[in-house]
Amino acid sequence: MAMALLRREGRRFAAPLISPNAVNTLRSSLATSEEQGVLGVRSISTQVVRNRMKSVKNIQKITKAMKMVAASKLRAIQTRAENSRGLWQPFTALLGDTPSVDVKKNVIVTISSDKGLCGGINSTSVKISRALHKLNSGPEKENKYVILGEKAKAQLIRDSKKDIELCMTDLQKNPLNYTQVSVLADDILKNVEFDALRIVFNKFHSVVSFIPTTATVLSPEVVEREAESGGKLGELDLYEVEGAETKGEVLQNLAEFQFSCVLFNAVLENACSEQGARMSAMDSSSRNAGEMLDRLTLTYNRTRQASITTELIEIISGASALEG
């Protein structure tokens, strides 16, 4: 009896710990996980390319929409800018434009945009303003900045903070009219002492081009001094002053009205140039996005074809191994 029990226990201990079916199941699961891992590594590259393609498509949609918005704004501003040119042209015919006049107190009025994504239009205005500041510098001369626009403020405040007299931003939130600009001009004239105001802006020429321009407005004292010395301003003595106003009062009113008219035209011209530059920049961005999308599509197709080819090779190799 004891021997029979020992024989039964020996058979039980001699039995395999893991059945053959369990081993086969484990092998198949390991092989499946390895295949899934390999396929996962392969699918990551195509997934990354797909995500990149989706991002580029979204960017292209945004740039196209921004181009259309800039085009609609440009059409609305262009007519007003062209009509405003008739305001300051009579002053140029009467007083001329004397950018080379030598005075002690120069105030550089730099006009820029509040938003970016419009090419190098703001950098151009800032470069010209710095060049004027350097050109008119001297031991007995004083140069100050009056900044209209956030982008010029961000650039000039880095190296010329002490020379900035006045900053005004958010000018383009609402459509500007002459009354609003004349209020801005009056604030500048009240808060800044000057012999010459040099207004730097970008004159609109076409959608793809703008002309950096500087307009000079002289103070009444300088106008009278230049008139006495002759030249273009010497022709002012040919006109008679009617009413009780003196010549100085007439020149004062004339200078204030000239500055408001020139500033109104400069703001509109710069706004036109901004929208034209933004249209051009967004058009270039849309074309670049299209070219990038073509390259990504080609890369995606190549990656996908390589993955399929590799899988076919592995299937054929496995079938050949099983047959062999």
Side-chain angles (χ1 to χ4, degrees), residues 40-54:
V41 171
R42 288 176 190 152
S43 62
I44 284 175
S45 59
T46 55
Q47 183 66 31
V48 168
V49 176
R50 274 202 302 268
N51 291 339
R52 187 74 182 275
M53 290 170 64
K54 185 177 179 181

Side-chain angles (χ1 to χ4, degrees), residues 23-63:
V23 173
N24 294 333
T25 304
L26 182 60
R27 287 176 180 172
S28 62
S29 63
L30 289 173
T32 304
S33 62
E34 289 178 0
E35 290 176 0
Q36 288 177 353
V38 174
L39 290 175
V41 171
R42 288 176 190 152
S43 62
I44 284 175
S45 59
T46 55
Q47 183 66 31
V48 168
V49 176
R50 274 202 302 268
N51 291 339
R52 187 74 182 275
M53 290 170 64
K54 185 177 179 181
S55 300
V56 173
K57 284 181 181 178
N58 292 335
I59 292 173
Q60 190 178 36
K61 290 179 182 178
I62 293 171
T63 53

Side-chain angles (χ1 to χ4, degrees), residues 11-299:
R11 288 195 206 99
R12 188 163 65 85
F13 286 122
L17 295 176
I18 301 176
S19 64
N21 293 332
V23 173
N24 294 333
T25 304
L26 182 60
R27 287 176 180 172
S28 62
S29 63
L30 289 173
T32 304
S33 62
E34 289 178 0
E35 290 176 0
Q36 288 177 353
V38 174
L39 290 175
V41 171
R42 288 176 190 152
S43 62
I44 284 175
S45 59
T46 55
Q47 183 66 31
V48 168
V49 176
R50 274 202 302 268
N51 291 339
R52 187 74 182 275
M53 290 170 64
K54 185 177 179 181
S55 300
V56 173
K57 284 181 181 178
N58 292 335
I59 292 173
Q60 190 178 36
K61 290 179 182 178
I62 293 171
T63 53
K64 286 182 177 179
M66 290 183 69
K67 179 185 175 182
M68 294 174 63
V69 172
S72 64
K73 288 183 178 180
L74 177 62
R75 284 193 294 270
I77 301 173
Q78 186 175 359
T79 305
R80 298 173 59 204
E82 292 174 351
N83 293 335
S84 68
R85 292 173 185 172
L87 289 174
W88 61 269
Q89 287 174 351
F91 291 104
T92 305
L94 177 63
L95 303 175
D97 194 355
T98 54
S100 60
V101 63
D102 188 17
V103 294
K104 291 183 178 180
K105 294 181 180 180
N106 288 283
V107 175
I108 303 169
V109 183
T110 306
I111 301 176
S112 68
S113 65
D114 292 315
K115 298 179 181 179
L117 300 177
C118 53
I121 182 172
N122 297 314
S123 299
T124 303
S125 298
V126 171
K127 286 179 182 178
I128 293 175
S129 300
R130 285 173 175 162
L132 286 173
H133 188 281
K134 186 177 180 180
L135 183 65
N136 294 299
S137 297
E140 298 180 357
K141 293 184 179 181
E142 182 181 356
N143 291 288
K144 295 293 182 180
Y145 285 113
V146 172
I147 302 173
L148 305 182
E150 186 66 37
K151 292 301 177 180
K153 175 185 174 183
Q155 295 187 46
L156 289 173
I157 204 170
R158 298 172 188 168
D159 55 355
S160 304
K161 186 175 182 180
K162 60 182 178 61
D163 294 330
I164 297 176
E165 192 75 17
L166 194 63
C167 288
M168 299 179 183
T169 57
D170 298 330
L171 297 179
Q172 299 296 331
K173 276 190 174 181
N174 300 311
L176 286 173
N177 53 32
Y178 178 76
T179 304
Q180 294 171 324
V181 176
S182 63
V183 172
L184 294 177
D186 189 52
D187 290 340
I188 294 172
L189 293 174
K190 286 180 179 179
N191 295 307
V192 178
E193 295 182 1
F194 69 95
D195 291 331
L197 288 164
R198 305 184 188 275
I199 307 168
V200 180
F201 63 98
N202 294 283
K203 186 176 181 180
F204 179 76
H205 185 259
S206 67
V207 177
V208 295
S209 67
F210 54 88
I211 303 171
T213 307
T214 302
T216 304
V217 177
L218 303 177
S219 65
E221 295 80 9
V222 177
V223 170
E224 193 168 358
R225 186 190 72 191
E226 293 292 321
E228 292 174 356
S229 63
K232 177 69 177 177
L233 296 178
E235 297 178 2
L236 288 175
D237 294 331
L238 301 177
Y239 297 90
E240 295 182 1
V241 178
E242 296 181 354
E245 293 182 344
T246 63
K247 184 179 179 180
E249 293 175 346
V250 171
L251 290 177
Q252 179 72 30
N253 296 332
L254 194 63
E256 293 177 0
F257 187 53
Q258 179 189 11
F259 178 57
S260 62
C261 291
V262 172
L263 187 64
F264 179 58
N265 174 254
V267 169
L268 291 179
E269 294 278 0
N270 199 81
C272 269
S273 302
E274 175 192 350
Q275 299 303 332
R278 183 169 288 116
M279 279 183 62
S280 180
M282 292 301 103
D283 184 54
S284 299
S285 300
S286 299
R287 287 199 304 270
N288 293 336
E291 293 174 1
M292 186 180 293
L293 194 59
D294 292 339
R295 292 195 298 269
L296 288 172
T297 303
L298 183 61
T299 303

